[in-house]
Amino acid sequence: MSNETGVQIKQRKRRNKLIEIGVIIASVIILAVILPSIIPAFRLRLIGRFLSLAIVALGIDLIWGYTGLLSLGHGIFFALGGYALAMNLKLQTTGGELPDFFTLYGVKELPWVWQPFNSFPFTIIALIIIPGIVAGLIGYLVFRNRIKGVYFSILTQAALLVFFNFFNGQQEIINGTNGLKTDTEKIFDIVVSSPGVQRTFYIITVICLVLIYLLCRWLTSGRFGRILKAIRDDETRVRFSGYDPTGYKVLVFAISGAIAGIAGALYTVQTGIITPSIMKVAFSIEMVIWVAVGGRGTLIGAIIGTLLVRLAQTFLSESFPEIWLFFQGALFLIVVTVLPDGIIGWWTNYGWFKLRSLFGQNQVVTYPSLEQDPGVQQEKDQI
Amino acid sequence: MSTLIEGLFNGISIGSVLLIAALGLAIVFGLMGVINLAHGELMMLGAYSTFVVQNIFKSFGDPWFDFYIIVAIPVAFIVSAVVGLILERGAIRFLYGRPLETLLATWGVSLILQQFVRSVNWLLMISLGIFSLLFFGGIQVVKKRADWERIKSKTLTLLIFLSTGIAIAFYSLLSKNSVLTKAWFSARNVDVTAPKWLRGGTTALGFQTPYVRLFIIALTILCLIGVYWFLQRSTWGLKIRAVTQNRTMSSCLGIPTAKVDALTFALGSGLAGIAGCAVSLLGSVGPNTGQNYIVDTFMVVVVGGVGNLLGTVLAALGIGILNYLVGSGTLALFLTSFSAPQSLIDFFLFFATSSMAKVMVFALIITFLQIKPAGLFPQKGRTAEL
C-alpha cells in the first residue's frame, strides 16, 4: 500500500467509488423491485417501517458518530414530522372541514395551528422544516452557552419529556393521548391503508433512504465533514484554530432533526397511527443503540444496525416477550464495553483480517528483511 | 395569603422528594462524573425492599408492624448499595472518563433491572447463583495457573459462554416447576401501607399537612446532614473529596482511588434506596416507578451545579415549589386576588396542569442556563474549557 504512486491511489479511489455506487444500485433494486413482489404485504409494511427508522439512525449517526453530540431527544423531531403529515391526511379526508374528534372536546372551529396543513405542498415542506427549526432552536440555546457532552444529552432528554407532556395534555389541539389515526384517512381520495398506497410509501421510503444516505455522505466528506470530526475530537482546539463550532453544531443538529422529521412522516403512514407515546424516553434512547450496534461514524453501520436490532426485536418479542428487555439491556452493555465500534468497526478492524488469514492470504505483516532472513525461514519450515 | 403558604409547603414537600432522589445522583455525578440512568431503578429496588420488609413485619403481628419503617430504611439502603456496588465493579469502572458510554451502559442496566423485578422467581435466582458460582469459581481456579495473563481473554470468553449455557439449560430444565417459577412481584404494582403513626395529618399550620409528607421532609433533612457529615468530617469523605479534586495526585499520595470510586458509587446508590423507601409511602410502586423520577432529578443536578450540595438543595426546592405553584393553579389564583391583568392570569391558567407545569419549568430552566450555564454554583478553578 505504501509504495503506491499518485495515479494508482486515484485509480483505487475511483474503483472504490464505482463499487459503492454498484452496491447502492443493487440494494435499491433488491429493496424496491424484488422484495415487494416476493414478500406478503404486511411484512413489507414492517420492512418499510424499519427502513424509515434507518433514516432517523442516519440523522443520529450524523450528530453522534461524526460530531460527538449524543441526542436523547430525537423522538421530538420524529413525532413532529409524523404529526404534520397526519394532520394533513385528516384534513384531506374531511375536505378541509373540522375532523370529527374535535367534537368530543367541544371545539367548534379549526385551531389556527391546523389551518396551513390544508395544503399538501406546505405539509411536505413543513414536515422537513418544522423539525429542523425546532432542532436548530434547541441547539442554538444549548450550544450558545457551550453546554456540551452529557449536559446536552440530559437537556435533550428533558426537552423530549416536555414535548411528550405537551402533546399528551393538549387534547383540544391534537387529540392528546389518543393520537391521530392515519389508516382510515384518504390521500388524494384513496384510503391510506390500501395496498397500492402502502406500496408507494414503501418505495418512497427506499428512495428517501438512498437520497439521505447520499446527503449524509456528501456532508461528512469534504471540509464540512472534517470540521465536524474535529469538533468531535477536540472542540477547544477547533475554537482556537479560528472556527466557531456553535454555528456548525447548530446546523448539523438542525439537519439531523429535519431528517428525523422525514423519517417520522414515513413511519407514521406505514404504522397507521401517531400518538405521543412515540416520544417516550425509551424509544429515543433505542435509536441511539441502533447506531451503536451498527458502528458509529459509519453511515452504512447505522442502517445495518437499525435493521438488525429491529429484526431481532420483532423475532424475540413475538416468541419470548419477557426476554426482549433483558436482551436489549445486555445489548447496551455489550456494545459499550466489548464492541465500542459496532459491527462495522469490528469488521474493518478485526474480522476482515481474520477472514483473510483463514483463507491463507497475507498472514502477518512484518519487516521485509525479516521475511528474507534465512534463520526465520528455517524456523518457519520447522513449525 | 394562607393559600400561598399552603402552596409553599406543598412545593417544599414535592421538592424534598426530588431532593432525596437527586442527592445520590448529585454525589455520583458531581464527584465521579458518571451519568447513572439506573438511579431511578435503584430507587425502585429500595421501594420493593420496603415492601418485602413490610410483609415480613406483617407476619410478626401488630405491635411490631408499627416500626417496620425503621428497619426498612437501612434495608433499602443496603440492597440498593449492594446492587450499585455490583454495577460499579461489573461495568462502570471500565468506562470512567467516557460519560456518554456510561450513560448508555446504565440505561441498559436500568432495562435489565425493570424486567428483573417483573420476572424474578426462585428459579431465576438459583440459575443466577449457578452462573456466578461457575463463572467466578472458574476464574479463581484458572487464576492459579502461571500463564494466566496470556490466556486471560480467551478463558473469560469461554467461561462466560459455558456458565451462561449451563445456567440457561438448568433454567429451561426446571421451568415446568410452578413452585419455583412463581414470580415474586409480577408486573403489577405493589402497595406499601404506612404504619399507623404516619397515617392522617395535622392542621397545626392552618391547613391539612399529612404526617407522611412531614416524615419525608424530616428524612430528607437527616440524609442531608448525614451526607454532609460523611463528606466533610470523616476520613473517607476526605479521600473522596481529594479524588474529586485531583485523581492522579491522590493516587500518588497513596489513596486507593478504585476503592474510593466503589464507595462513592455505593453511597449514591444507597441514598437512592432510601429515596425509594420514601417514595413508596406516597403511592403504589411498580417496575416503572423509577422512570418517573429520572428526568426531574437530572434537572435538579443540572440546575444545582456539579459537586455542590447547597446548589442541589436550592435547585430541588426551587423546582418543587415552582412546579407546584404553577401546576396547581395557586399562582393564577394568587394573581387574581391582586387583580393582575387578565392576559397574565390566562397565561398562567394555561399552564395550570401538572404536565403543562413541567413545560413551563423546563422553559425556565433553559432560560436560567442562558445566564448561568454551569448551574447555580459552578466549580471554580482553571480549566481548558473556555
Side-chain angles (χ1 to χ4, degrees), chain B residues 212-233:
Chain B
V212 171
R213 292 281 179 182
L214 290 174
F215 177 74
I216 290 176
I217 293 176
L219 188 65
T220 310
I221 294 172
L222 272 181
C223 283
L224 259 180
I225 294 171
V227 167
Y228 182 82
W229 177 84
F230 180 76
L231 286 180
Q232 302 291 331
R233 295 278 182 273

Side-chain angles (χ1 to χ4, degrees), chain B residues 253-321:
Chain B
L253 291 172
I255 294 175
T257 47
K259 252 186 211 165
V260 167
D261 287 336
L263 182 77
T264 317
F265 202 84
L267 177 69
S269 312
L271 285 170
I274 295 184
C277 187
V279 163
S280 71
L281 294 173
L282 291 176
S284 59
V285 270
N288 295 328
T289 302
Q291 297 278 308
N292 306 334
Y293 288 90
I294 197 73
V295 175
D296 290 341
T297 45
F298 266 118
M299 283 297 102
V300 170
V301 176
V302 168
V303 171
V306 166
N308 191 314
L309 282 183
L310 185 62
T312 314
V313 174
L314 289 180
L317 294 182
I319 290 178
I321 291 172

Side-chain angles (χ1 to χ4, degrees), chain A residues 141 144-146 148 151, chain B residues 101 107 306 362 370 385-386:
Chain A
L141 287 175
R144 200 176 70 103
N145 295 305
R146 300 177 186 173
K148 56 186 171 189
Y151 285 95
Chain B
E101 265 89 345
W107 176 258
V306 166
F362 177 72
Q370 302 300 309
E385 308 292 324
L386 290 168

Side-chain angles (χ1 to χ4, degrees), chain A residues 90-285:
Chain A
K90 281 265 180 216
L91 290 176
Q92 275 197 32
T93 314
T94 58
E97 296 298 309
L98 202 62
D100 44 3
F101 73 85
F102 276 121
T103 52
L104 290 176
Y105 311 113
V107 179
K108 296 281 179 303
E109 226 175 298
L110 201 60
W112 61 269
V113 203
W114 281 68
Q115 301 283 3
F117 288 96
N118 261 318
S119 109
F120 188 68
F122 172 83
T123 308
I124 295 299
I125 297 169
L127 68 85
I128 302 170
I129 294 291
I130 291 178
I133 290 176
V134 172
L137 202 68
I138 294 176
Y140 176 72
L141 287 175
V142 174
F143 297 136
R144 200 176 70 103
N145 295 305
R146 300 177 186 173
I147 294 172
K148 56 186 171 189
V150 283
Y151 285 95
F152 172 70
S153 307
I154 294 171
L155 284 174
T156 48
Q157 194 176 46
L160 180 73
L161 197 76
V162 162
F163 271 82
F164 175 70
N165 278 328
F166 184 83
F167 276 69
N168 246 344
Q170 294 304 314
Q171 286 176 326
E172 292 88 11
I173 304 179
I174 33 179
N175 206 10
T177 340
N178 303 326
L180 302 177
K181 254 191 140 104
T182 58
D183 251 1
T184 47
E185 309 302 327
K186 287 179 182 156
I187 181 165
F188 303 128
D189 287 331
I190 317 169
V191 179
V192 171
S193 58
S194 64
V197 176
Q198 285 297 322
R199 186 176 223 168
T200 320
F201 275 128
Y202 173 78
I203 289 169
I204 293 175
T205 310
V206 174
I207 293 170
C208 278
L209 182 64
V210 172
L211 288 181
I212 287 167
Y213 173 79
L214 292 175
L215 172 77
C216 292
R217 193 64 220 264
W218 177 67
L219 283 175
T220 52
S221 54
R223 287 179 73 88
F224 187 73
R226 259 177 274 159
I227 287 178
L228 294 187
K229 281 181 208 163
I231 290 173
R232 174 189 69 188
D233 293 337
D234 196 338
E235 192 180 334
T236 317
R237 200 158 164 181
V238 173
R239 195 175 297 124
F240 288 164
S241 313
Y243 290 95
D244 182 14
T246 311
Y248 290 99
K249 280 158 91 177
V250 171
L251 181 64
V252 81
F253 193 55
I255 293 173
S256 175
I259 291 175
I262 299 171
L266 290 168
Y267 183 80
T268 302
V269 286
Q270 294 182 80
T271 313
I273 190 167
I274 180 143
T275 61
S277 68
I278 208 89
M279 286 187 280
K280 284 239 168 89
V281 169
F283 187 61
S284 292
I285 301 189

